[in-house]
Every structure is written in C-alpha cells, then in structure tokens.
Amino acid sequence: MTLLSPQDMLVVHGGNPLHGEVRVRGAKNLVSKAMVAALLGDGPSRLHNVPRIRDVEVVRGLLELHGVRVRDADGAGDALVLDPANVEQAAVDEINVHAGSSRIPILFCGPLLHRLGQAIIPDLGGCHIGPRPIDFHLQALREFGAVVDKTDAGLQLTAPSGLRGCKLDLPYPSVGATEQVLLTAVMAQGVTELRNAAVEPEIIDLICVLQKMGAIITVHTDRVIEIEGVPRLGGFVHRPIPDRIEAASWAAAALATGGDVTVRGARQVDMMTFLNGFRSVGGAYAVDDAPDPEGGIRFWHPGGELRATAIETAVHPGFMTDWQQPLVVALTQARGLSIVHETVYEQRLGYTTALNQMGATIQVYRDCLGGTPCRFGRRNFTHSAVIAGPAKLNGADLTIPDLRAGFSHLIAALAAEGISRVYGVNLINRGYEDFEAKLAALGAHVDA
Ligand code: EPU
C-alpha cells in the first residue's frame, strides 16, 4: 500500500463552506505507541481501528525489521495483529532506511533492551517545530542502567546489568519521555517513580494497553506515576482512543469556511479544552454520545461574526499545541485582536508567514503574551502571535512545512477566495487518513 499521491500538490478552489461528515479513527499518537508496546508481550496483540497513515506504516516497517509479524486481522485494514514471537536484532543499514521518517523509533529503546539486550535507533524525523531534543529520554534510559552510544549510524544502546527501576523527575512533562519511561519501567526490576509526568489522554490510553498486558501502573495526583516492574507481559486487545487532533482540525476547517462538519468518532471527554476555545470564538457544536461508529461531534459556524479570543497552549489538560495551528486559521476571520501564546514548542508559528501572504494580519513576538510566562520567554523564540481580524484570505501558492501547519495551510486555502496550489501534501498523509477523500466528501473543490 502506498500513501503517497504522485502529484504531491493539490489545486484548491477556495471560498466554499465544508458540509458533511467525516470519521476519525484511532489516535495517531496512541496507535504508534501501542504498536511499540506489542514488542514487550510474549504473545500476539490486536489493535483495532488503526488509521491508514504513514506514521503507522513506518512503525510497522520497523517492527517487521525486528522480526515482529504484523498482519491485517480482517482484511479490511481495520485491525492489526502484531506477533513478537521471533523478535531479533535488525541490520543497521535496514534500520536506517527509516532515518528521518518519524520520532516513534526512539520509543523502541526500552522494549528492545528488554527483549534483546541491545537497541539500534535510526536518526529521528518528525515535524520541524523546534529543536526537539531527546535529552530527557536518554537521561531516563541511563538511570534505568542503559549505556547509550551516539554513533554515525544512530543511537546504540546496551544494558549490561539489565534495567532497574529508578526515581525520575522530568524537567518538563514531555509526552515522549513519559512514554519512554513507561515502556521501559514495566519490565524493569523493581519500582519506578516518575515525577512531572505528562498525562495526556493518549498516555493514559497507553497505560491501559500496558495494564492489559499485565503491567502494574498507578497514576497518582500531581503528575506522579508509579510503575512496579513485572518479569513478563502478555499480548493485548485494544481499541484506541479517537484522534482528537484530527477531530479538532476538521472542526477548525468547518469554522474557517463557514461550514458544518460532523466528526464521527470524536469524543467530548478528550476535547473539552478545545470545545471551550471553539465556543469562545463563536463556533457551535453538538455532542452525540452514541457509541462509535454512530457517535461524534457536529461543529458548525452559526452565522454572524466570530469573536477574537486568547489561546495559550499547554500540556494536558491545557489547550493542545496541535490544536493551535488549525484554530488560528479560523481566528483570522474573527473580529478584533486574538492572542496566541505557544508554550510547548519554540517554533510553532512559522506557518503564519503563509497566512499573511494570503491576506491575514498576524504579528509574531518573542515575548510571552499569555497569562503564564513560559520557558521560551526572553530566549529569542517567536512563540506568541497577535491576529487581527477579520481578514479576507486570497488563494496563493503554498508549500507545506510540517504536518499540522500543513493541514492549516489547507484550511486557509479552502477558506480563501480563488485558487491555491498547495505543494508537499504528502506530508499530511503522516497523520490524516484519506484526507483527500474526506475533503471531497465535504464538498471541497480540490484537484490533484
Ligand atoms: N523536550 C525536551 N527534551 C526531550 C523531550 C522533549 O526538551 O527529551 C521538549 C520538546 O522540545 C518540546 C516539549 O519538551 O518543547 C514537549 O515535547 P514532547 O516530548 O511532549 O513531544 P513529543 O513526544 O515529541 C508528542 C506528539 C506531538 C505533540 C506533543 C505534545 C507524538 C508522536 N508526537 O510529541 O504531536 O505535539 O507530544 O503534545 O506523539 C503531531 O502529532 O503532529 C505532533 C507533533
């Protein structure tokens, strides 16, 4: 299966409201981690509602290189069965085919150390939204007893005396570092205490996966997670939480284009902070609590003017950084001055240049413009923005810089008057399943 469109460019005829229904499936940021967790089991695991996106393909490829048998359970591409019975060390040159393609490979460290006593990790990829260091990951792995060598071929890790539980305190509640600790601590000897952990819904869902496998994990208040290592884990059967980033992206597209989109599969509980922001801007929504596949959330523009608002991104339960870019496109249509303070990534406002070329008025600042001074203040990172609206957007030639910014470019092109050529659309396949078909179903005028 290829997820790449031969053109890598879309011609978008903007100015038409999106109307209709789309479906979101399992969250990219859980599915890929649950696939890695399957490495730890001594039996097969089954993961349902798996989206066909490139990040899943990359992880699948890397698992297969390490001897995990991965197959579609039902032929319909909905469920994956992952069988780690014959896990083996992969060849370095094969692993490096995946260099630069995703950030998930860093999470193979703990599971491979447990299974093989060594791990080779290719150079990481992912979106260019800041330096994205892995120092918390490596520090934690060293505390567990891993020896880490940085080589030209990537990272090489060994654990000569095995992995032992430890006390860790993250400098920042990093999602990836928390997952790294969970995936390593579950089979390390003894107890691990992790302070300042991230507690995003995708992490809680990963904890559910690990618990199904036999792990003993307690989530205390105040971001403390305690993990009691066990000697063996079994497989799991799991239905992931829905993709709340994709759901918010379609919601923002509905609002920015003056449309009405029902996102089947979206759940209120995962999106409460987004829903507050959406309503503050003047968007309307209605929650249908029926279980998947019937349930979902309808998002629409109720008419009249949108209102300016202030958004500060933060770790859970704050406003997700990944919701920021799509919603800012809608904010270009709101009357007054909106303020965005991005506190998770240093460089997640670069995409505003393209919006300005289309007619938006967005000024970016180094200062912390939100209520809470953040770690990027006075460090030369343009991480705050003021958006003056409403602005008439006009079609333009756009090149997609990263996944979420890419989808925002697309929303802007759909909201703009006239024709836009959007280059680099294959990047969007990393995290949005069948987005071209979904756009067509919503009545978007888009040609390859
Ligand atoms: N950080 C460090 N050192 C580390 C790890 C993180 O300084 O060792 C910093 C990062 O540079 C960043 C902050 O901590 O400034 C937060 O990074 P985090 O580790 O939480 O992010 P991540 O695990 O790399 C995941 C998602 C991102 C999402 C963030 C925040 C995946 C594969 N990626 O990234 O999703 O934005 O958490 O919720 O789960 C996306 O889906 O497009 C995406 C970028």
Side-chain angles (χ1 to χ4, degrees), residues 28-29 33 103-104 127 129 132-137 172-177 200 245 320-322 344-346 348 375-376 403-404:
K28 160 176 105 58
N29 291 346
K33 320 317 173 38
R103 294 190 65 73
I104 313 295
C127 296
I129 48 185
R132 304 192 80 180
I134 50 168
D135 49 340
F136 306 164
H137 294 251
Y172 181 81
S174 147
V175 169
E200 268 59 12
I245 306 178
M320 275 190 104
T321 170
D322 305 277
V344 180
Y345 288 112
E346 313 64 340
R348 221 171 189 184
R375 63 210 160 104
F376 306 141
L403 177 61
R404 305 298 168 195

Side-chain angles (χ1 to χ4, degrees), residues 88-112:
E88 59 187 8
Q89 182 55 55
V92 179
D93 49 343
E94 286 181 335
I95 292 174
N96 271 324
V97 170
H98 293 280
S101 51
S102 162
R103 294 190 65 73
I104 313 295
I106 190 68
L107 297 178
F108 278 63
C109 293
L112 286 181

Side-chain angles (χ1 to χ4, degrees), residues 269-291:
V269 67
D270 309 316
M271 301 187 69
M272 292 177 82
T273 315
F274 177 81
L275 294 175
N276 290 338
F278 193 79
R279 183 168 278 161
S280 312
V281 185
Y285 63 86
V287 176
D288 177 349
D289 278 332

Side-chain angles (χ1 to χ4, degrees), residues 348-370:
R348 221 171 189 184
L349 294 172
Y351 71 99
T352 56
T353 309
L355 297 188
N356 284 341
Q357 278 161 8
M358 298 175 82
T361 307
I362 305 177
Q363 183 97 38
V364 291
Y365 296 88
R366 292 193 180 86
D367 317 70
C368 295
L369 295 187

